[in-house]
Amino acid sequence: MSDAEVQRVKLVPWAEGDFWLLSRTNAPEMTEHLGGPESEEKLAARHRRYVELRERGRMYRVTLASSGETVGSIGFWERQWRDDTVWETGWGVLPEFQGRGLATDAARAVVAVARSAGVHRCLHAFPGAEHAASNAVCRGAGFAWLGTVRFEYPKGHWMTSNDWRFDLAADV
Ligand SMILES: CC(C)(COP(=O)(O)OP(=O)(O)OC[C@H]1O[C@@H](n2cnc3c(N)ncnc32)[C@H](O)[C@@H]1OP(=O)(O)O)[C@@H](O)C(=O)NCCC(=O)NCCS
């Protein structure tokens, strides 16, 4: 990871005033691979979880380091996975900022934060198998592909995802 890439985006901890960003990432085109938009009630609950995440993970607003402009969101949270507790990550970049490598930069930055958190050894991402861009982000950020898995997400809807893992204890 070069210094230039590290500095292109800055992760700002999720705050009370960031609900607007959640509303934007809840648009149909942003949730195509995530089961579609959530209700206002679910979104409000998600916002509370994001604000209150602390020891069990962290959500961030992704900003351009140069201008401070908000380009998306990213974070990591705890998940039980194959008899272990791991970190899981997920991301979104607003349509007008997509295709510039910003999600990949943000994923690299979140790897660095999860590594510094020092709590769990592995950071996983589970993008839908059909989601070319998100799988490319995993590959580009240095995650290792472990195979495919089936998830019920949202409830009642089964999907095939890829299991990507970053070993935070590995030498960098
Ligand atoms: C997935 C998402 C975050 C990618 O954001 P982005 O900033 O455009 O991604 P990047 O510019 O870093 O591109 C990453 C890779 O994806 C590829 N890519 C981008 N858009 C693509 C598309 N529509 N189809 C195929 N590949 C695509 C890029 O070419 C790049 O590949 P490379 O590293 O091999 O060159 C963005 O599309 C998004 O927010 N989607 C909606 C939310 C979502 O689905 N989040 C993920 C949930 S798992």
Side-chain angles (χ1 to χ4, degrees):
M1 178 161 56
S2 79
D3 287 348
E5 282 165 336
V6 172
Q7 288 162 7
R8 213 151 69 103
V9 298
K10 188 171 164 234
L11 305 188
V12 179
W14 197 268
E16 289 290 353
D18 293 335
F19 185 74
W20 69 270
L21 179 56
L22 206 45
S23 297
R24 282 219 55 201
T25 56
N26 194 44
E29 64 271 28
M30 291 287 292
T31 52
E32 193 187 332
H33 297 274
L34 300 165
E38 290 184 315
S39 66
E40 280 302 309
E41 193 184 358
K42 282 201 168 157
L43 213 58
R46 181 178 290 280
H47 178 57
R48 286 261 50 85
R49 284 202 305 279
Y50 283 8
V51 171
E52 286 160 15
L53 265 179
R54 285 290 177 262
E55 285 80 29
R56 292 173 174 275
R58 211 77 200 266
M59 278 308 296
Y60 298 93
R61 191 160 52 84
V62 181
T63 65
L64 289 182
S66 54
S67 63
E69 218 169 343
T70 300
V71 300
S73 62
I74 197 164
F76 60 101
W77 52 87
E78 277 186 344
R79 168 185 199 113
Q80 292 305 122
W81 186 243
R82 306 207 194 286
D83 300 327
D84 198 6
T85 308
V86 301
W87 293 126
E88 178 181 355
T89 180
W91 40 66
V93 167
L94 298 172
E96 62 270 33
F97 293 102
Q98 289 178 8
R100 302 188 198 174
L102 294 172
T104 310
D105 284 358
R108 288 177 180 142
V110 98
V111 163
V113 184
R115 183 185 284 120
S116 330
V119 183
H120 303 301
R121 175 169 181 160
C122 292
L123 177 69
H124 287 249
F126 299 101
E130 311 295 316
H131 195 342
S134 215
N135 283 289
V137 170
C138 293
R139 198 174 301 112
F143 286 66
W145 183 73
L146 299 186
T148 57
V149 285
R150 295 271 292 160
F151 281 119
E152 189 181 7
Y153 186 82
K155 206 162 170 46
H157 170 78
W158 285 90
M159 64 184 281
T160 302
S161 293
N162 283 312
D163 179 5
W164 292 89
R165 182 182 67 191
F166 201 110
D167 180 354
L168 302 169
D171 291 338
V172 281

